[in-house]
């Protein structure tokens, strides 16, 4: 392998699963997420020289993925799907469809508005700090904190109501 | 730290609490219980978000780019050029036939996706505004007070400034759209909002209001205040 290819594989291969998960929570659709990841990796390969600091590969890839998702959305005008239908269709993505509790949380995350879901995924799944989320989303730190707070309040309400139903 | 402040902080970032919140939790059992709930919730979120990922192959890009491709015979080059021109013409004709969402609808739709923006009433500092807008190649001169929200948003293929300005009659959204040309002032009403699109030094500026707020007055103010950075 030539050094460029080696560098690309070393940097991008370990992040493929995370990239897919991020794309999945953006798109809420596995096949769209796969398209986004393919496009992201292709663009990353073409513009590898633009990545000057190897330690920044994760935010670099996630930024490309976010842009690709927006581009795909704009191009295809993706059809809006009812969240309940989505939760049913995406059930295999849970990998644990018999786990009702986890399924509820999964569906509740899917039902969050985009502007709440994306910062939450960046924080919980990608380990971003609120400052990093603000930079990634082009928001102020205050706006990020507000969105994260509202996202968790909504999810907590779902979890609590589920617990009350079971009692 | 009050209970409401502690809970805001805990819900925003439960794994990263500051000394003030920690001190409050030591003295307030209901908030301490809330903190435990939030940490437990995060564990469940992490588990639910960790969806299974398929094997996606890395792109098999070209390993070596030829520095000087072999020359093709002239006739073949001509045929290739003719084919490319034909395809371009066909694509162009199809593109013209594709209905594109109107600029006004796109602005209102974008705004509706950021409901928080109108809820923030605390004014931003000049430095914070400058820092956010610099990402979109724009700055705000003096003369546009009352900005409570500034964001660099992905809109129709590029990052553009999205501002919310507090006026005596309520919040107003201003979007600076350097790539969107309009021939003249366009007034619109969409989904319960009213607004105007006005030509700017680069592209246009969109102003969206609710109720009786004067969109044109805000548009004039924005036109005078927005400067484009090269």
């Amino acid at each position: 392998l030539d050094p460029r290819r080696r560098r690309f594989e070393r940097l991008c291969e370990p992040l493929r699963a995370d990239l897919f998960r991020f794309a999945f929570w953006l798109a809420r659709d596995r096949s769209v997420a796969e398209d986004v990841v393919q496009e992201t990796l292709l663009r990353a390969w073409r513009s590898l020289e633009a990545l000057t600091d190897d330690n920044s590969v994760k935010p670099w890839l996630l930024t490309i993925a976010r842009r690709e998702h927006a581009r795909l959305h704009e191009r295809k005008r993706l059809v809006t799907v009812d969240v309940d239908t989505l939760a049913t269709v995406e059930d295999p993505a849970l990998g644990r469809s018999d786990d009702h509790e986890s399924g509820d949380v999964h569906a509740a995350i899917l039902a969050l508005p985009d502007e709440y879901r994306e910062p939450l995924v960046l924080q919980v799944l990608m380990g971003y700090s609120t400052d990093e989320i603000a930079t990634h989303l082009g928001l102020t730190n205050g706006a990020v904190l507000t969105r994260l707070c509202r996202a968790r309040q909504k999810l907590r309400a779902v979890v609590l109501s589920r617990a009350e139903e079971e009692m | 730290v009050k209970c409401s402040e502690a809970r805001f902080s805990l819900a925003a970032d439960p794994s990263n609490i500051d000394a003030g919140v920690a001190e409050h939790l030591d003295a307030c059992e209901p908030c301490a219980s809330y903190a435990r709930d939030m940490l437990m919730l995060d564990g469940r979120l992490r588990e639910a978000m960790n969806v299974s990922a398929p094997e996606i192959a890395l792109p098999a890009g070209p390993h070596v780019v030829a520095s000087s491709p072999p020359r093709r015979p002239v006739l073949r080059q001509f045929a290739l050029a003719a084919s490319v021109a034909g395809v371009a013409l066909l694509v162009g004709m199809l593109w013209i036939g594709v209905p594109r969402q109107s600029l006004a609808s796109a602005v209102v739709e974008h705004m509706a996706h950021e409901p928080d923006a109108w809820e923030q009433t605390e004014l931003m500092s000049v430095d914070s505004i400058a820092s956010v807008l610099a990402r979109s190649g724009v700055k705000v001169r003096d003369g546009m007070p009352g900005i409570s929200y500034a964001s660099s948003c992905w809109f129709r293929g590029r990052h553009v400034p999205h501002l919310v300005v507090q006026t005596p009659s309520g919040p107003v959204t201003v979007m600076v759209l350097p790539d969107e040309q309009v021939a003249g002032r366009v007034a619109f009403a969409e989904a319960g909002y009213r607004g105007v699109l006005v030509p700017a030094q680069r592209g246009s500026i969109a102003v969206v209001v609710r109720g009786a707020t004067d969109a044109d007055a805000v548009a004039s103010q924005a036109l005078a205040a927005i400067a484009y950075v090269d």
Side-chain angles (χ1 to χ4, degrees):
Chain A
L1 289 180
D2 68 287
R4 187 177 189 276
R5 180 79 193 170
R6 256 203 313 273
R7 180 181 177 225
F8 180 70
E9 290 192 0
R10 176 175 54 81
L11 293 174
C12 297
E13 203 154 46
L15 295 173
R16 278 183 303 180
D18 271 353
L19 199 54
F20 173 81
R21 290 184 186 111
F22 176 68
F24 171 78
W25 288 109
L26 276 189
R28 305 187 299 171
D29 181 295
R30 288 180 73 82
S31 62
V32 173
E34 283 185 39
D35 287 351
V36 169
V37 174
Q38 292 279 10
E39 279 298 313
T40 300
L41 290 172
L42 196 59
R43 281 185 187 269
W45 165 252
R46 286 181 189 148
S47 56
L48 188 60
E49 284 68 31
L51 178 68
T52 50
D53 176 8
D54 285 2
N55 293 324
S56 306
V57 63
K58 191 169 178 178
W60 182 64
L61 284 175
L62 295 187
T63 301
I64 299 175
R66 184 166 196 259
R67 209 170 290 155
E68 282 312 310
H69 174 254
R71 211 189 301 269
L72 193 69
H73 203 281
E74 180 72 22
R75 204 166 55 219
K76 292 189 173 174
R77 289 261 134 231
L78 298 175
V79 179
T80 308
V81 179
D82 176 71
V83 168
D84 291 337
T85 313
L86 197 62
T88 314
V89 170
E90 292 302 337
D91 203 41
L94 293 170
R96 55 182 86 79
S97 54
D98 55 339
D99 184 344
H100 294 300
E101 208 174 80
S102 184
D104 286 343
V105 179
H106 183 98
I109 302 169
L110 284 174
L112 281 177
D114 293 351
E115 60 269 23
Y116 293 166
R117 194 173 57 253
E118 188 176 359
L120 191 68
V121 170
L122 286 170
Q123 188 186 53
V124 174
L125 200 58
M126 301 295 152
Y128 271 39
S129 69
T130 50
D131 282 342
E132 288 168 335
I133 298 170
T135 304
H136 182 82
L137 300 180
L139 295 170
T140 60
N141 198 273
V144 169
L145 291 172
T146 302
R147 290 180 187 201
L148 289 167
C149 175
R150 292 198 178 148
R152 281 199 180 81
Q153 282 170 342
K154 281 175 184 283
L155 294 170
R156 180 171 180 262
V158 171
V159 170
L160 288 179
S161 71
R162 174 76 189 176
E164 279 171 13
E165 277 172 23
E166 285 175 355
M167 283 173 70
Chain B
V1 174
K2 294 177 193 161
C3 289
S4 59
E5 291 165 348
R7 288 181 183 219
F8 176 85
S9 175
L10 290 164
D13 197 354
S15 305
N16 189 18
I17 55 172
D18 63 27
V21 174
E23 199 177 319
H24 177 83
L25 295 182
D26 285 341
C28 178
E29 177 47 32
C31 285
S33 166
Y34 185 84
R36 287 192 291 274
D37 277 359
M38 282 299 170
L39 284 172
M40 202 182 301
L41 176 67
D42 260 24
R44 293 170 70 172
L45 293 179
R46 232 182 319 275
E47 194 184 339
M49 284 178 183
N50 203 17
V51 295
S52 59
E55 273 298 315
I56 298 177
L58 292 176
H63 291 233
V64 180
V65 178
S67 54
S68 55
R71 289 176 65 82
R72 295 189 179 92
V74 173
L75 192 61
R76 218 175 134 199
Q77 282 187 341
F78 178 77
L80 182 65
S83 309
V84 170
V87 170
L89 182 65
L90 185 64
V91 168
M93 287 167 71
L94 288 173
W95 177 249
I96 288 166
V98 173
R100 196 175 185 218
Q101 186 188 29
S102 79
L103 181 56
S105 303
V107 167
V108 171
E109 185 181 300
H110 174 82
M111 204 188 76
H113 277 103
E114 298 204 6
D116 285 353
W118 273 30
E119 289 172 22
Q120 291 179 32
T121 51
E122 193 180 332
L123 301 188
M124 289 178 67
S125 70
V126 173
D127 287 346
S128 304
I129 296 166
S131 153
V132 173
L133 296 190
R135 290 183 208 121
S136 310
V138 166
K139 64 180 181 181
V140 178
R141 298 190 197 100
D142 291 341
M144 186 130 188
I147 296 178
S148 57
Y149 178 89
S151 165
S152 178
C153 295
W154 188 251
F155 180 80
R156 308 236 280 196
R158 68 166 287 172
H159 280 100
V160 301
H162 173 172
L163 308 172
V164 173
V165 183
Q166 297 296 326
T167 73
S169 48
V172 175
T173 291
V174 176
M175 289 185 72
V176 184
L177 309 167
D179 285 349
E180 305 288 349
Q181 308 292 336
V182 291
R185 176 186 175 277
V186 179
F188 60 87
E190 294 260 351
Y193 297 97
R194 292 184 305 105
V196 287
L197 293 162
V198 290
Q201 184 192 336
R202 291 185 195 169
S204 56
I205 287 178
V207 174
V208 184
V209 302
R210 238 182 346 211
T213 308
D214 183 354
D216 285 300
V218 180
S220 303
Q221 200 182 11
L223 283 171
I226 299 292
Y228 300 86
V229 183
D230 287 319

